[in-house]
Amino acid sequence: MPIFDIDFETMPREGLEAIQLRRLQTTLERIYATVPFYKETYDKAGIKPTDIKSLDDLRRLPFTTKQDLRDNYPYAMFAVPMEQIVRIHASSGTTGKPTVVGYTKRDIATWAELMARSMSAAGATNGDIIHNAWGYGLFTGGLGAHYGAERLGASVIPVSGGNTKRQITIMQDFKPTILCGTPSYILHLAEVADEMGVDFKDLYFKSGIFGAEPWTEEMRQELEAKCNLKAVDIYGLSEVIGPGVSIECVEEQKGLHVFEDHFIVEVVDPDTLEPLPYGEPGELVFTSITKEAFPVIRYRTKDITSLNPTPCTCGRTHVRMNKPTGRTDDMLIIRGVNVFPSQIESVLMETREVAPHYQLEVDRIDNLDTLTVKVEIDETSFSDDIKGLQAMEAKLSHDIKEHLGVSARVALVEPKTIERSQGKAVRVIDNRKL
Amino acid sequence: MMAEQISIFIENKEGRLAEVTAILRDAQVNIRALSLADTTDFGVLRLIVNDNDKATAALKKEGFTVGKTQVLAVEVTDEPGGLNKVLDPLCEQDVNVEYMYAFANPQCKNAIMIFRFDDIDKAKEILAQKDIKVIDGKELSGL
Ligand SMILES: [Zn+2]
């Protein structure tokens, strides 16, 4: 398979590391001068950008967390004036306030470059037609893939999410050859296609690029069998750039190459925060070294995985991260949307009608993630009016959709029926087998 | 004049209704009438019993959510059109029935209908004008 940027993607480690150090130093100098958060944090830690003389010195720098980004909502982490910002994206956070990220013109070009590399790694060329089923909007998936496909010179169909039957008709008529989307949605789409009597073998796909939610090897086998294509995993998060931080190559489909000329990746022990050697699982941490508008230094992703330095048959020299296996927090990803139990709690508290005894139950029904929010009824919220109780369920469901952007079924349950372990309510029951 | 009904929130789970009636049995509470309104997830059980306080205490002790609602218990004569005699004058004056259920008066052939009206005071007034017998809570408990 062709490699989009052969020089950088197959660069020997010594050269790559020299570039990383130079870019890291430049980034640090710049953010120390322009972002008050970094200056204050580094001053407090007694460290100056000039103290970073080797890649190993990176571990001396403090971490950046989601909380730090939230404290600087919306624009205080931007390292350039607004005149240079050309795009804003956002992702949901624990308190209802999203995390806002900005891009300069060059950042958008960098991101498009990384997505073009990713699509190449999945086997795409400028001759391909890309069916992009990631949502277009504040979420980085849709537009990220869109610009990457154009950078590659491929033809992109900006389908976005939803309207599954129309998507299938487009697949039949427009003959796309590369499929992008969240894996659970694509499995759902495959089932709808099956009901419509459409066989993927009669379609034209060769590869599928799936991500924005965790998925397993079993799901890969199912996706490949049902959709008749090669499935590769893509990883990214808006705080770092969006999709295109790392991707599997179609040759091995075993671990995601991190684009190390743009990001320095570490895995740290979530308790001691000490960097771990290759192969040991821990929390994934990224430092961006080429971004202008929104650089992050040692950003803690809360994703758990390990790194694999073994040379890859595809020729790329960039280290691979294994598929993330879990999270250090209680974040759920439902149909690509990040959901924290605390967000649901604040919606429930706002209505003041129900006690904050609740439980989230996540299932995968017909390959589509469904969220049920069970809420215990109490004397103040109970009335013998069935319509009133149903209206309460409907209102809560509406408010959750409004605040979190995710559809949930709300079910009132009897008091004290939500399982409590050692007095503490069990907030999440995830029945999806991941 | 008014009667008090107790209502209980129950999830649609197998055997839940039987649990409620068993709790009442063990508390020596006699059920006069009962109606269950349900949705796919949950139901509201409405009860007329001989001792509301005893019933409420026993159910709460077992963790149930219990509510109280004012209803009217109306005797309906055992003849064609008996129910219309009650409903027509109310309907004419725009009093609406939210729900109703019935049981047989053990002392005679007539039925007793339990009504929940959207405007209970107006309903009471109209029924009094029409000389329709409304049974008060005490009499109801003693039946
Ligand atoms: Zn590879």
PDB file of all heavy atoms in Angstrom, chain A residues 65-86:
ATOM      1  N   THR A  65      -4.998  18.339  32.238  1.00  0.00           N
ATOM      2  CA  THR A  65      -6.175  17.482  32.378  1.00  0.00           C
ATOM      3  C   THR A  65      -7.391  18.155  31.763  1.00  0.00           C
ATOM      4  O   THR A  65      -7.370  19.348  31.459  1.00  0.00           O
ATOM      5  CB  THR A  65      -6.490  17.207  33.860  1.00  0.00           C
ATOM      6  OG1 THR A  65      -6.834  18.452  34.469  1.00  0.00           O
ATOM      7  CG2 THR A  65      -5.312  16.580  34.588  1.00  0.00           C
ATOM      8  N   LYS A  66      -8.435  17.357  31.616  1.00  0.00           N
ATOM      9  CA  LYS A  66      -9.708  17.881  31.125  1.00  0.00           C
ATOM     10  C   LYS A  66     -10.192  19.024  32.030  1.00  0.00           C
ATOM     11  O   LYS A  66     -10.759  19.993  31.549  1.00  0.00           O
ATOM     12  CB  LYS A  66     -10.737  16.741  31.119  1.00  0.00           C
ATOM     13  CG  LYS A  66     -12.060  17.120  30.512  1.00  0.00           C
ATOM     14  CD  LYS A  66     -12.285  16.386  29.208  1.00  0.00           C
ATOM     15  CE  LYS A  66     -13.630  16.738  28.599  1.00  0.00           C
ATOM     16  NZ  LYS A  66     -13.686  16.447  27.174  1.00  0.00           N
ATOM     17  N   GLN A  67      -9.936  18.879  33.340  1.00  0.00           N
ATOM     18  CA  GLN A  67     -10.341  19.920  34.284  1.00  0.00           C
ATOM     19  C   GLN A  67      -9.652  21.243  33.969  1.00  0.00           C
ATOM     20  O   GLN A  67     -10.256  22.309  34.039  1.00  0.00           O
ATOM     21  CB  GLN A  67     -10.028  19.467  35.720  1.00  0.00           C
ATOM     22  CG  GLN A  67     -10.510  20.425  36.802  1.00  0.00           C
ATOM     23  CD  GLN A  67     -12.027  20.624  36.778  1.00  0.00           C
ATOM     24  OE1 GLN A  67     -12.777  19.669  36.668  1.00  0.00           O
ATOM     25  NE2 GLN A  67     -12.479  21.877  36.842  1.00  0.00           N
ATOM     26  N   ASP A  68      -8.359  21.161  33.595  1.00  0.00           N
ATOM     27  CA  ASP A  68      -7.634  22.387  33.241  1.00  0.00           C
ATOM     28  C   ASP A  68      -8.292  23.068  32.046  1.00  0.00           C
ATOM     29  O   ASP A  68      -8.428  24.286  32.001  1.00  0.00           O
ATOM     30  CB  ASP A  68      -6.174  22.062  32.895  1.00  0.00           C
ATOM     31  CG  ASP A  68      -5.409  21.516  34.098  1.00  0.00           C
ATOM     32  OD1 ASP A  68      -5.703  21.951  35.225  1.00  0.00           O
ATOM     33  OD2 ASP A  68      -4.536  20.652  33.895  1.00  0.00           O
ATOM     34  N   LEU A  69      -8.715  22.257  31.072  1.00  0.00           N
ATOM     35  CA  LEU A  69      -9.347  22.822  29.879  1.00  0.00           C
ATOM     36  C   LEU A  69     -10.677  23.471  30.264  1.00  0.00           C
ATOM     37  O   LEU A  69     -11.039  24.528  29.774  1.00  0.00           O
ATOM     38  CB  LEU A  69      -9.583  21.746  28.814  1.00  0.00           C
ATOM     39  CG  LEU A  69      -8.348  20.933  28.375  1.00  0.00           C
ATOM     40  CD1 LEU A  69      -8.701  20.021  27.210  1.00  0.00           C
ATOM     41  CD2 LEU A  69      -7.186  21.852  28.002  1.00  0.00           C
ATOM     42  N   ARG A  70     -11.379  22.796  31.191  1.00  0.00           N
ATOM     43  CA  ARG A  70     -12.674  23.305  31.626  1.00  0.00           C
ATOM     44  C   ARG A  70     -12.503  24.628  32.391  1.00  0.00           C
ATOM     45  O   ARG A  70     -13.276  25.558  32.220  1.00  0.00           O
ATOM     46  CB  ARG A  70     -13.311  22.261  32.538  1.00  0.00           C
ATOM     47  CG  ARG A  70     -14.792  22.299  32.530  1.00  0.00           C
ATOM     48  CD  ARG A  70     -15.414  20.947  32.811  1.00  0.00           C
ATOM     49  NE  ARG A  70     -14.820  20.251  33.916  1.00  0.00           N
ATOM     50  CZ  ARG A  70     -14.547  18.946  33.909  1.00  0.00           C
ATOM     51  NH1 ARG A  70     -14.802  18.219  32.856  1.00  0.00           N
ATOM     52  NH2 ARG A  70     -14.017  18.374  34.944  1.00  0.00           N
ATOM     53  N   ASP A  71     -11.445  24.677  33.217  1.00  0.00           N
ATOM     54  CA  ASP A  71     -11.196  25.899  33.986  1.00  0.00           C
ATOM     55  C   ASP A  71     -10.893  27.076  33.064  1.00  0.00           C
ATOM     56  O   ASP A  71     -11.032  28.229  33.461  1.00  0.00           O
ATOM     57  CB  ASP A  71     -10.001  25.700  34.942  1.00  0.00           C
ATOM     58  CG  ASP A  71     -10.328  24.709  36.054  1.00  0.00           C
ATOM     59  OD1 ASP A  71     -11.522  24.418  36.263  1.00  0.00           O
ATOM     60  OD2 ASP A  71      -9.375  24.216  36.694  1.00  0.00           O
ATOM     61  N   ASN A  72     -10.466  26.773  31.866  1.00  0.00           N
ATOM     62  CA  ASN A  72     -10.086  27.839  30.938  1.00  0.00           C
ATOM     63  C   ASN A  72     -11.090  28.005  29.799  1.00  0.00           C
ATOM     64  O   ASN A  72     -10.766  28.526  28.745  1.00  0.00           O
ATOM     65  CB  ASN A  72      -8.683  27.564  30.384  1.00  0.00           C
ATOM     66  CG  ASN A  72      -7.636  27.772  31.451  1.00  0.00           C
ATOM     67  OD1 ASN A  72      -7.278  28.902  31.741  1.00  0.00           O
ATOM     68  ND2 ASN A  72      -7.180  26.696  32.080  1.00  0.00           N
ATOM     69  N   TYR A  73     -12.308  27.541  30.046  1.00  0.00           N
ATOM     70  CA  TYR A  73     -13.401  27.614  29.085  1.00  0.00           C
ATOM     71  C   TYR A  73     -13.765  29.052  28.799  1.00  0.00           C
ATOM     72  O   TYR A  73     -13.807  29.842  29.742  1.00  0.00           O
ATOM     73  CB  TYR A  73     -14.610  26.865  29.677  1.00  0.00           C
ATOM     74  CG  TYR A  73     -15.886  26.932  28.906  1.00  0.00           C
ATOM     75  CD1 TYR A  73     -16.156  26.007  27.899  1.00  0.00           C
ATOM     76  CD2 TYR A  73     -16.840  27.908  29.183  1.00  0.00           C
ATOM     77  CE1 TYR A  73     -17.352  26.053  27.188  1.00  0.00           C
ATOM     78  CE2 TYR A  73     -18.030  27.953  28.470  1.00  0.00           C
ATOM     79  CZ  TYR A  73     -18.286  27.035  27.476  1.00  0.00           C
ATOM     80  OH  TYR A  73     -19.455  27.082  26.779  1.00  0.00           O
ATOM     81  N   PRO A  74     -14.084  29.504  27.593  1.00  0.00           N
ATOM     82  CA  PRO A  74     -13.939  28.694  26.394  1.00  0.00           C
ATOM     83  C   PRO A  74     -12.601  28.865  25.663  1.00  0.00           C
ATOM     84  O   PRO A  74     -12.124  27.949  25.042  1.00  0.00           O
ATOM     85  CB  PRO A  74     -15.084  29.229  25.513  1.00  0.00           C
ATOM     86  CG  PRO A  74     -15.232  30.662  25.913  1.00  0.00           C
ATOM     87  CD  PRO A  74     -14.847  30.732  27.372  1.00  0.00           C
ATOM     88  N   TYR A  75     -11.976  30.063  25.763  1.00  0.00           N
ATOM     89  CA  TYR A  75     -10.856  30.342  24.850  1.00  0.00           C
ATOM     90  C   TYR A  75      -9.499  30.540  25.519  1.00  0.00           C
ATOM     91  O   TYR A  75      -8.513  30.783  24.831  1.00  0.00           O
ATOM     92  CB  TYR A  75     -11.165  31.608  24.033  1.00  0.00           C
ATOM     93  CG  TYR A  75     -12.400  31.501  23.156  1.00  0.00           C
ATOM     94  CD1 TYR A  75     -13.252  32.607  22.994  1.00  0.00           C
ATOM     95  CD2 TYR A  75     -12.697  30.327  22.479  1.00  0.00           C
ATOM     96  CE1 TYR A  75     -14.380  32.519  22.179  1.00  0.00           C
ATOM     97  CE2 TYR A  75     -13.818  30.238  21.673  1.00  0.00           C
ATOM     98  CZ  TYR A  75     -14.665  31.332  21.531  1.00  0.00           C
ATOM     99  OH  TYR A  75     -15.761  31.248  20.730  1.00  0.00           O
ATOM    100  N   ALA A  76      -9.444  30.421  26.863  1.00  0.00           N
ATOM    101  CA  ALA A  76      -8.208  30.832  27.531  1.00  0.00           C
ATOM    102  C   ALA A  76      -7.006  29.924  27.249  1.00  0.00           C
ATOM    103  O   ALA A  76      -5.876  30.290  27.543  1.00  0.00           O
ATOM    104  CB  ALA A  76      -8.443  30.952  29.037  1.00  0.00           C
ATOM    105  N   MET A  77      -7.245  28.730  26.665  1.00  0.00           N
ATOM    106  CA  MET A  77      -6.111  27.864  26.330  1.00  0.00           C
ATOM    107  C   MET A  77      -5.589  28.137  24.912  1.00  0.00           C
ATOM    108  O   MET A  77      -4.618  27.518  24.493  1.00  0.00           O
ATOM    109  CB  MET A  77      -6.509  26.384  26.435  1.00  0.00           C
ATOM    110  CG  MET A  77      -6.817  25.891  27.837  1.00  0.00           C
ATOM    111  SD  MET A  77      -5.426  25.925  28.971  1.00  0.00           S
ATOM    112  CE  MET A  77      -4.643  24.350  28.623  1.00  0.00           C
ATOM    113  N   PHE A  78      -6.246  29.023  24.183  1.00  0.00           N
ATOM    114  CA  PHE A  78      -5.806  29.293  22.811  1.00  0.00           C
ATOM    115  C   PHE A  78      -4.464  30.027  22.844  1.00  0.00           C
ATOM    116  O   PHE A  78      -4.275  30.958  23.610  1.00  0.00           O
ATOM    117  CB  PHE A  78      -6.839  30.143  22.056  1.00  0.00           C
ATOM    118  CG  PHE A  78      -8.091  29.380  21.663  1.00  0.00           C
ATOM    119  CD1 PHE A  78      -8.379  28.136  22.197  1.00  0.00           C
ATOM    120  CD2 PHE A  78      -8.979  29.937  20.736  1.00  0.00           C
ATOM    121  CE1 PHE A  78      -9.529  27.448  21.828  1.00  0.00           C
ATOM    122  CE2 PHE A  78     -10.137  29.247  20.365  1.00  0.00           C
ATOM    123  CZ  PHE A  78     -10.409  28.010  20.911  1.00  0.00           C
ATOM    124  N   ALA A  79      -3.550  29.589  21.975  1.00  0.00           N
ATOM    125  CA  ALA A  79      -2.204  30.152  21.970  1.00  0.00           C
ATOM    126  C   ALA A  79      -2.018  31.200  20.875  1.00  0.00           C
ATOM    127  O   ALA A  79      -0.913  31.690  20.668  1.00  0.00           O
ATOM    128  CB  ALA A  79      -1.172  29.030  21.812  1.00  0.00           C
ATOM    129  N   VAL A  80      -3.081  31.515  20.177  1.00  0.00           N
ATOM    130  CA  VAL A  80      -3.006  32.550  19.122  1.00  0.00           C
ATOM    131  C   VAL A  80      -4.219  33.472  19.299  1.00  0.00           C
ATOM    132  O   VAL A  80      -5.226  33.069  19.878  1.00  0.00           O
ATOM    133  CB  VAL A  80      -3.035  31.941  17.701  1.00  0.00           C
ATOM    134  CG1 VAL A  80      -1.828  31.056  17.451  1.00  0.00           C
ATOM    135  CG2 VAL A  80      -4.334  31.153  17.458  1.00  0.00           C
ATOM    136  N   PRO A  81      -4.120  34.717  18.776  1.00  0.00           N
ATOM    137  CA  PRO A  81      -5.295  35.600  18.853  1.00  0.00           C
ATOM    138  C   PRO A  81      -6.448  35.087  17.981  1.00  0.00           C
ATOM    139  O   PRO A  81      -6.208  34.342  17.022  1.00  0.00           O
ATOM    140  CB  PRO A  81      -4.773  36.945  18.327  1.00  0.00           C
ATOM    141  CG  PRO A  81      -3.463  36.672  17.699  1.00  0.00           C
ATOM    142  CD  PRO A  81      -2.932  35.378  18.224  1.00  0.00           C
ATOM    143  N   MET A  82      -7.675  35.470  18.305  1.00  0.00           N
ATOM    144  CA  MET A  82      -8.845  34.984  17.588  1.00  0.00           C
ATOM    145  C   MET A  82      -8.764  35.262  16.081  1.00  0.00           C
ATOM    146  O   MET A  82      -9.344  34.526  15.295  1.00  0.00           O
ATOM    147  CB  MET A  82     -10.138  35.595  18.150  1.00  0.00           C
ATOM    148  CG  MET A  82     -10.635  34.961  19.440  1.00  0.00           C
ATOM    149  SD  MET A  82     -10.675  33.158  19.487  1.00  0.00           S
ATOM    150  CE  MET A  82     -12.254  32.832  18.728  1.00  0.00           C
ATOM    151  N   GLU A  83      -8.047  36.307  15.704  1.00  0.00           N
ATOM    152  CA  GLU A  83      -7.915  36.626  14.270  1.00  0.00           C
ATOM    153  C   GLU A  83      -7.335  35.449  13.495  1.00  0.00           C
ATOM    154  O   GLU A  83      -7.583  35.298  12.298  1.00  0.00           O
ATOM    155  CB  GLU A  83      -7.001  37.847  14.053  1.00  0.00           C
ATOM    156  CG  GLU A  83      -7.611  39.184  14.443  1.00  0.00           C
ATOM    157  CD  GLU A  83      -7.628  39.413  15.942  1.00  0.00           C
ATOM    158  OE1 GLU A  83      -6.962  38.647  16.686  1.00  0.00           O
ATOM    159  OE2 GLU A  83      -8.331  40.354  16.381  1.00  0.00           O
ATOM    160  N   GLN A  84      -6.555  34.634  14.184  1.00  0.00           N
ATOM    161  CA  GLN A  84      -5.918  33.515  13.467  1.00  0.00           C
ATOM    162  C   GLN A  84      -6.693  32.206  13.583  1.00  0.00           C
ATOM    163  O   GLN A  84      -6.329  31.211  12.974  1.00  0.00           O
ATOM    164  CB  GLN A  84      -4.498  33.313  14.004  1.00  0.00           C
ATOM    165  CG  GLN A  84      -3.570  34.470  13.624  1.00  0.00           C
ATOM    166  CD  GLN A  84      -2.190  34.292  14.230  1.00  0.00           C
ATOM    167  OE1 GLN A  84      -1.666  33.183  14.288  1.00  0.00           O
ATOM    168  NE2 GLN A  84      -1.618  35.382  14.692  1.00  0.00           N
ATOM    169  N   ILE A  85      -7.751  32.212  14.383  1.00  0.00           N
ATOM    170  CA  ILE A  85      -8.568  30.998  14.527  1.00  0.00           C
ATOM    171  C   ILE A  85      -9.556  30.941  13.365  1.00  0.00           C
ATOM    172  O   ILE A  85     -10.290  31.898  13.105  1.00  0.00           O
ATOM    173  CB  ILE A  85      -9.366  31.024  15.865  1.00  0.00           C
ATOM    174  CG1 ILE A  85      -8.429  31.103  17.058  1.00  0.00           C
ATOM    175  CG2 ILE A  85     -10.306  29.808  15.967  1.00  0.00           C
ATOM    176  CD1 ILE A  85      -7.718  29.828  17.419  1.00  0.00           C
ATOM    177  N   VAL A  86      -9.575  29.809  12.677  1.00  0.00           N
ATOM    178  CA  VAL A  86     -10.514  29.677  11.555  1.00  0.00           C
ATOM    179  C   VAL A  86     -11.582  28.617  11.817  1.00  0.00           C
ATOM    180  O   VAL A  86     -12.518  28.479  11.044  1.00  0.00           O
ATOM    181  CB  VAL A  86      -9.793  29.342  10.223  1.00  0.00           C
ATOM    182  CG1 VAL A  86      -8.840  30.464   9.831  1.00  0.00           C
ATOM    183  CG2 VAL A  86      -9.075  28.002  10.302  1.00  0.00           C
TER     184      VAL A  86
END
